[in-house]
């Protein structure tokens, strides 16, 4: 199994990096896990819609360049489907059961994901309607992927 996160921007805070590194280490026993960072597009605070679209387009092209044709893509999007941890674990299990050994999660930049990235996604998932920092979402996603593996293994970690 290959799990990949394609993410926009770097994690600046050490405590987030440490948490993400811990889950990367834990997940190594379940297969290959890697995070691919693409640069974020510099954008001033006040942008027109056309400028926002251009930023998302550039970031989207960078994201798409890191996704292979055979990868099953789960995009994190605020309007995506909300899943419980158990439902998420079942989704991962179903994907691997039905031949999807390469699963890629995508986290966009501060403006979100371009229409092209959302179109490429096989599934859109949401962690709710809260607005959360991308660095925190990265850590939460890593923990939830790990939790999904533990649920599927029948581990007491989930309790």
């Amino acid at each position: 199994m290959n799990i990949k996160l394609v993410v926009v921007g770097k994690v600046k805070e050490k405590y987030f990096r440490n948490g993400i590194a811990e889950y990367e280490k834990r997940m190594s026993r379940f297969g290959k896990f890697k995070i691919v960072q693409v640069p974020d597009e510099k954008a001033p605070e006040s942008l027109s819609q056309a400028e926002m679209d251009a930023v998302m387009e550039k970031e989207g092209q960078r994201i798409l360049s890191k996704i292979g044709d055979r990868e099953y893509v789960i995009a994190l999007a605020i309007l995506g489907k909300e899943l419980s941890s158990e439902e998420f674990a079942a989704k991962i299990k179903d994907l691997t059961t039905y031949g999807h050994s390469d699963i890629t999660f995508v986290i966009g930049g501060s403006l979100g994901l371009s229409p092209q990235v959302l179109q490429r996604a096989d599934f859109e998932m949401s962690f709710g309607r809260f607005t959360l920092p991308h660095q925190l979402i990265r850590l939460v996603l890593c923990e939830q992927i790990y939790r999904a593996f533990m649920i599927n293994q029948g581990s007491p970690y989930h309790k």
Side-chain angles (χ1 to χ4, degrees), residues 1-5 24 26-35 70-74 88-105 142 144-150 152-153:
M1 151 128 338
N2 297 308
I3 299 282
K4 178 168 66 176
L5 273 59
E24 281 184 90
R26 290 181 186 191
M27 283 189 277
S28 65
R29 68 184 183 159
F30 299 110
K32 191 174 171 192
F33 180 83
K34 72 176 180 176
I35 298 175
R70 296 179 46 92
E71 295 170 34
Y72 186 93
V73 177
I74 298 175
F88 181 57
K91 177 138 190 88
I92 299 287
K93 188 176 189 174
D94 287 349
L95 288 172
T96 57
T97 300
Y98 296 107
H100 294 285
S101 58
D102 297 316
I103 302 172
T104 298
F105 293 88
C142 288
Q144 285 297 302
I145 294 169
Y146 176 71
R147 181 177 295 272
F149 282 116
M150 298 306 280
N152 289 337
Q153 174 178 296

Side-chain angles (χ1 to χ4, degrees), residues 70-85:
R70 296 179 46 92
E71 295 170 34
Y72 186 93
V73 177
I74 298 175
L76 269 61
I78 201 153
L79 297 177
K81 183 170 175 53
E82 292 182 37
L83 303 173
S84 68
S85 295

Side-chain angles (χ1 to χ4, degrees), residues 33-132:
F33 180 83
K34 72 176 180 176
I35 298 175
V36 177
Q37 294 182 150
V38 299
D40 55 344
E41 191 64 23
K42 300 298 176 230
E45 286 296 314
S46 56
L47 294 176
S48 69
Q49 187 60 51
E51 290 168 323
M52 285 192 273
D53 291 344
V55 166
M56 286 191 297
E57 168 81 18
K58 287 178 186 171
E59 290 176 348
Q61 289 170 355
R62 292 175 189 147
I63 290 167
L64 291 171
S65 74
K66 304 298 182 189
I67 299 172
D69 292 340
R70 296 179 46 92
E71 295 170 34
Y72 186 93
V73 177
I74 298 175
L76 269 61
I78 201 153
L79 297 177
K81 183 170 175 53
E82 292 182 37
L83 303 173
S84 68
S85 295
E86 295 84 0
E87 289 168 332
F88 181 57
K91 177 138 190 88
I92 299 287
K93 188 176 189 174
D94 287 349
L95 288 172
T96 57
T97 300
Y98 296 107
H100 294 285
S101 58
D102 297 316
I103 302 172
T104 298
F105 293 88
V106 177
I107 301 174
S110 60
L111 299 176
L113 292 168
S114 71
Q116 295 85 348
V117 172
L118 293 174
Q119 186 175 12
R120 170 59 183 89
D122 296 291
F123 184 75
E124 291 180 35
M125 184 173 80
S126 174
F127 281 132
R129 294 177 48 196
F130 285 118
T131 299
L132 297 168

